[in-house]
């Protein structure tokens, strides 16, 4: 039995049988259990953190803006990616009209785009604050709102192909699914490669470069501070100390640690998922197409939306 890509970047379903992966056995039960766990944890964590942000709304920091929208994007993933997938596994087929099919598929990919691009926006903001502080100082709050708005706008636009690709189709007699239709033979391969590049590969490369430059700048700043404390500290005629370099504020360092951890978890969660996706479409005969490990990788990618709010709460106090 061969698996075919169905729910763009979120699901693989069989081309034989009743259309559900591992139906009627323990892996299917485990799949439902994992999806339920992911949905509850993601919803609970993000709602709790949004309440925390509301309680501290007087603290009008630039980080708070990004965290609010990141939580919103993670909730979109939970309610329009994880929950429909869970209901789909329970009911064994898509029990909704064509408009619902297209809407769900569209919002599923919107959540993935938004989570990535908002994380990218926050990382670039932190990069400017450390590596280019003069630019960060002159950056107004309106510009940060514009960046957040652009992240959502790109997510909404780049997700539009989902509306045209997915529709209700009769996959078996009297069995209807929300199914994808690609231009053969290159459509499926091109679309999955494109989504992998714009959702993960290129953003991950930018995130890694920013984090490396941030760490390098912090290290060089620390070295400079230590040298100046030793060689440039002098006492003027009035007895006052001069020449001591300014350090990086502890609050900024805490935010940087949080951003670094979120980026690491993001890459760990999504890298195996997209590697398997690309491997399967470019090497359909030799790539991973079934088995418990394959299923776990497909399911646990959504854990990123669960871990983020708990990381935020650990650092945002």
């Amino acid at each position: 039995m061969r698996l075919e890509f169905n729910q763009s970047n979120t699901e693989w379903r069989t081309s034989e049988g009743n259309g559900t992966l591992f139906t009627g056995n323990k892996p299917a039960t485990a799949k439902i259990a994992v999806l339920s766990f992911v949905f509850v944890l993601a919803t609970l964590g993000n709602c709790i953190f949004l309440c925390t942000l509301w309680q501290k709304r007087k603290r009008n920091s630039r980080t708070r803006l990004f965290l609010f929208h990141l939580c919103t994007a993670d909730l979109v993933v939970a309610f329009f990616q994880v929950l429909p997938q869970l209901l789909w596994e329970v009911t064994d087929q898509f029990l909704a009209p064509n408009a619902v099919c297209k809407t769900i598929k569209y919002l599923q990919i919107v959540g993935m785009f938004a989570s990535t691009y908002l994380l990218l926006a926050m990382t670039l903001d932190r990069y400017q604050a450390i590596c280019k502080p003069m630019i960060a100082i002159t950056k107004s709050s309106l510009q940060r709102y514009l960046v957040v708005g652009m992240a959502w706008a790109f997510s909404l636009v780049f997700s539009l192909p989902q509306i045209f690709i997915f529709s209700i189709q009769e996959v078996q007699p009297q069995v209807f699914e929300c199914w994808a239709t690609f231009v053969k033979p290159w459509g499926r391969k091109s679309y999955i490669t494109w989504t992998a590049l714009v959702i993960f590969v290129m953003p991950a490369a930018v995130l890694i470069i920013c984090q490396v430059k941030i760490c390098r700048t912090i290290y060089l700043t620390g070295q400079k501070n230590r040298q100046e404390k030793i060689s440039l500290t002098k006492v003027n005629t009035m007895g006052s100390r001069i020449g001591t370099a300014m350090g990086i504020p502890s609050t900024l360092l805490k935010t940087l640690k949080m951003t670094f951890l979120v980026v690491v978890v993001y890459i760990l969660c999504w890298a195996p998922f997209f590697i398997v996706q690309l491997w399967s479409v470019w090497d359909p005969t030799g790539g991973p197409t079934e088995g418990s490990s394959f299923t776990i990788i497909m399911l646990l990618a959504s854990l990123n939306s669960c871990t983020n709010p708990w990381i935020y709460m650990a650092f945002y106090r």
Side-chain angles (χ1 to χ4, degrees):
M1 181 164 56
R2 184 172 177 271
L3 297 178
E4 294 182 352
F5 182 82
N6 175 31
Q7 190 172 3
S8 180
N9 294 317
T10 57
E11 179 194 359
W12 295 73
R13 299 175 86 82
T14 61
S15 57
E16 302 175 14
N18 60 2
T20 304
L21 187 63
F22 299 124
T23 299
N25 55 24
K26 291 182 179 179
T29 304
K31 190 175 183 181
I32 293 174
V34 170
L35 286 169
S36 301
F37 173 78
V38 170
F39 174 71
V40 171
L41 195 62
T43 304
L44 183 64
N46 283 287
C47 287
I48 290 175
F49 187 68
L50 284 176
C51 291
T52 302
L53 290 177
W54 173 256
Q55 291 174 351
K56 298 181 179 181
R57 58 189 180 277
K58 293 182 179 180
R59 186 192 298 179
N60 190 21
S61 65
R62 62 176 66 185
T63 305
R64 181 178 176 275
L65 172 66
F66 292 112
L67 293 181
F68 172 81
H69 286 274
L70 278 168
C71 278
T72 304
D74 285 336
L75 284 175
V76 172
V77 172
F79 280 95
F80 294 101
Q81 181 172 307
V82 180
L83 182 59
Q85 174 67 23
L86 173 60
L87 296 176
W88 201 341
E89 293 301 324
V90 172
T91 60
D92 202 27
Q93 59 179 305
F94 194 85
L95 303 176
N98 192 52
V100 176
C101 164
K102 291 180 176 293
T103 301
I104 289 177
K105 296 300 184 181
Y106 175 70
L107 291 175
Q108 281 179 343
I109 206 78
V110 166
M112 295 175 67
F113 270 114
S115 295
T116 299
Y117 288 175
L118 288 167
L119 176 60
L120 185 62
M122 184 172 71
T123 302
L124 289 172
D125 184 80
R126 299 297 85 192
Y127 165 76
Q128 284 189 339
I130 293 296
C131 302
K132 299 181 178 181
M134 294 307 298
I135 296 177
I137 291 173
T138 57
K139 192 175 182 180
S140 65
S141 58
L142 179 61
Q143 289 176 302
R144 287 191 288 274
Y145 278 103
L146 180 61
V147 170
V148 170
M150 289 176 61
W152 281 107
F154 280 123
S155 302
L156 294 171
V157 172
F158 287 166
S159 302
L160 286 175
Q162 292 282 102
I163 298 175
F164 304 99
I165 290 173
F166 285 92
S167 62
I168 295 293
Q169 300 180 34
E170 188 175 11
V171 296
Q172 293 179 18
Q174 302 303 315
V175 177
F176 296 89
E177 294 282 6
C178 188
W179 212 254
T181 302
F182 295 101
V183 177
K184 295 182 179 181
W186 52 267
R188 176 171 170 266
K189 182 182 295 184
S190 301
Y191 184 67
I192 295 173
T193 302
W194 177 78
T195 53
L197 286 174
V198 296
I199 292 179
F200 179 74
V201 177
M202 291 189 292
V206 176
L207 290 171
I208 292 172
I209 292 172
C210 287
Q211 292 298 330
V212 169
K213 289 188 175 183
I214 288 172
C215 291
R216 181 177 180 272
T217 301
I218 292 175
Y219 173 77
L220 294 177
T221 301
Q223 290 288 94
K224 180 181 178 181
N225 288 343
R226 283 191 289 270
Q227 291 175 0
E228 290 191 354
K229 286 180 181 179
I230 295 173
S231 60
L232 298 181
T233 300
K234 299 178 181 179
V235 179
N236 60 13
T237 55
M238 299 297 295
S240 62
R241 177 170 293 195
I242 61 172
T244 302
M246 288 290 292
I248 299 174
S250 58
T251 53
L252 182 56
L253 285 175
K254 184 184 291 187
T255 304
L256 290 172
K257 291 177 182 177
M258 179 193 70
T259 306
F260 178 80
L261 185 56
V262 170
V263 169
V264 170
V265 172
Y266 165 79
I267 293 175
L268 290 177
C269 286
W270 286 106
F273 176 82
F274 281 105
I275 289 172
V276 169
Q277 293 276 39
L278 292 172
W279 189 357
S280 297
V281 294
W282 285 97
D283 186 16
T285 57
T289 55
E290 58 184 317
S292 300
S293 299
F294 174 79
T295 306
I296 291 172
I297 290 174
M298 293 296 103
L299 291 174
L300 297 186
S302 298
L303 272 179
N304 187 223
S305 297
C306 302
T307 56
N308 283 343
W310 306 103
I311 296 174
Y312 303 152
M313 283 185 277
F315 288 92
Y316 192 82
R317 296 176 181 175

